[in-house]
Each structure stands twice: as C-alpha cells, then as structure tokens.
Amino acid sequence: MNYSQIAIGIFVCSLAFFVVYLILIVYFKSLILSGQDVKFRNSYPYEIYSKLSITNRILLYCSLFLNGALGALGLFFSFLSFDSSYSFIIGIVYSISFLCLVASNVLPLNFYKSHLLTSLCGILGFSFASILSCFITVIPGALGTDQTFFLPICIIVGVLGFLVFLSCFNPKLLSWARMDKAEENGKTIYLKPKVNYLATYEWLVYIFYNIVSLIIFISLFF
C-alpha cells in the first residue's frame, strides 16, 4: 500500500467525522441553544461548547479531534505521496496548522495568548500551504517523477489560500476582544458585536481545511 492509498483511507474517516461534527454543532446550536446569544458570526467555538452538557460536549470534542487528527494525517500522507521536498513541506505545514486550529477551537480566551497563537498558526498555516500548493505544478521538481496534480485543484486551493491571506489584513481583526457598549434602563451594558472577525475566520478556515481535504481526496483517484 502506497502513501496515496493510506491517505484515501484516512480521508474517508476524517470527512465522516467532519459530517458528524457539522450535524451535531448545527443541531445543538439551533435547538438546544436556541434563543441564547451564541451565533457563528460572533461567538468562538469554545463559547458554544461551554454552554452544552458534558455528554454533548464530549460528542463534539470526539468528532472534532478525530476529524482534525485524521485530517492532518491525510493531508500529510497525500502530499508525501508526491515524493518531493516541496510537497513534503506543504504536507507538514497543513498538518501542524490544522492541529493548531483545532486546538484554538477549544481554548477559551482565559488563555488568550495560547488561543491567539494557535488560531493564527492555523489560519496563516492554511494560507501558506494552500498558496504553495497553487504553484506545485509549475515549480520544477515540486512533483516527483510520474506524479500529476490537476490544474483546477491547484486553482481552487490557491484561491482559498489567497483569500485567507488577504483577509488577515482586515483591521477589524484587531478588535477580537471588543464588546459593544449600550444603555439599558439607564445602565451601561456590554454586548457582543454583530460580527467578531477572528471567531468567524476560525469557523471558516476550519471548514476550508475540510474542503481542501475533500478536494485532495478526490484528486488521489486520478
């Protein structure tokens, strides 16, 4: 069994756990937490987890961790199969950054330094690896002998990488801890902003990792 076959098997399991995670998080968010002030656009993942029962939290954690761990392995082995130093670097960056993003997913802002470090590593790592993947067919020696990587896949992955990279220059990212000030019955209260861009990016980039995993998984059959 070669590396691409190993990657295919791992991707199947990883994407299955991603589907389970999506179903669970949407179900818990829509029904169990209905009416509470937790929205995907302004709430960090851990904020949603913390409002659930221990049993429900364990279900989410298991599906999240298995998706992240297997997804990281799948990306590593798939790029390892291209048999070059260039593809090996891409696989390593994807794997480490995916695990970092999963870690930030569960780290509360009480540990804000760790949360920010893992979150930024996950987001920037995805961008860097995806942009490198975009040029894998044009850089001499980036693919091993008799290896192919379809141009449409390079374009899709590259576009996602560049979009994430450009989004990092959003000045509103710097207000990741800001609360909106409001008045209620003569008292000053603080509310979540309508959009917290760091929280939104964490959700989106986690989805992007799985989109790239799916695309790479499909490409391994050709």
Side-chain angles (χ1 to χ4, degrees), residues 3-13 74 78 216-217 220-221:
Y3 291 132
S4 61
Q5 291 174 320
I6 295 173
I8 287 172
I10 294 174
F11 275 139
V12 170
C13 297
S78 61
I216 301 298
F217 166 70
L220 293 175
F221 287 97

Side-chain angles (χ1 to χ4, degrees), residues 30-48:
S30 302
L31 297 179
I32 296 178
L33 301 180
S34 177
Q36 298 194 36
D37 187 23
V38 282
K39 299 180 177 65
F40 292 124
R41 65 176 181 269
N42 69 354
S43 297
Y44 294 95
Y46 80 87
E47 291 183 89
I48 293 179

Side-chain angles (χ1 to χ4, degrees), residues 86 131-143 149 151 154-155:
Y86 188 88
I131 291 172
L132 288 181
S133 301
C134 180
F135 298 105
I136 198 170
T137 60
V138 297
I139 294 178
L143 286 174
F149 200 65
L151 183 59
C154 294
I155 293 173

Side-chain angles (χ1 to χ4, degrees), residues 7-187:
I8 287 172
I10 294 174
F11 275 139
V12 170
C13 297
S14 172
L15 292 168
F17 283 115
F18 175 62
V19 172
V20 172
Y21 175 83
L22 282 184
I23 293 172
L24 289 174
I25 196 70
V26 171
Y27 172 78
F28 294 149
K29 167 68 176 62
S30 302
L31 297 179
I32 296 178
L33 301 180
S34 177
Q36 298 194 36
D37 187 23
V38 282
K39 299 180 177 65
F40 292 124
R41 65 176 181 269
N42 69 354
S43 297
Y44 294 95
Y46 80 87
E47 291 183 89
I48 293 179
Y49 308 151
S50 65
K51 294 181 181 295
L52 297 171
S53 67
I54 293 178
T55 301
N56 291 337
R57 213 179 303 172
I58 289 173
L59 290 173
L60 274 174
Y61 285 165
C62 287
S63 56
L64 172 68
F65 292 153
L66 287 169
N67 168 242
L70 293 171
L73 280 175
L75 288 166
F76 175 73
F77 280 114
S78 61
F79 281 96
L80 191 62
S81 69
F82 294 127
D83 195 26
S84 74
S85 299
Y86 188 88
S87 60
F88 177 76
I89 291 172
I90 296 174
I92 287 290
V93 175
Y94 262 138
S95 300
I96 294 175
S97 59
F98 196 177
L99 293 175
C100 283
L101 191 72
V102 169
S104 73
N105 206 279
V106 298
L107 280 171
L109 285 181
N110 294 343
F111 308 98
Y112 73 94
K113 290 182 180 179
S114 298
H115 183 106
L116 290 176
L117 178 62
T118 52
S119 178
L120 291 176
C121 284
I123 293 171
L124 293 175
F126 173 84
S127 174
F128 180 64
S130 297
I131 291 172
L132 288 181
S133 301
C134 180
F135 298 105
I136 198 170
T137 60
V138 297
I139 294 178
L143 286 174
T145 308
D146 299 326
Q147 297 291 335
T148 59
F149 200 65
F150 293 105
L151 183 59
I153 292 173
C154 294
I155 293 173
I156 295 171
V157 173
V159 166
L160 290 176
F162 277 110
L163 286 175
V164 171
F165 176 71
L166 292 175
S167 71
C168 292
F169 293 95
N170 181 356
K172 293 183 179 179
L173 268 179
L174 298 176
S175 59
W176 55 270
R178 183 180 65 83
M179 301 288 280
D180 287 344
K181 194 174 182 180
E183 295 287 335
E184 186 178 89
N185 298 325
K187 294 182 179 180

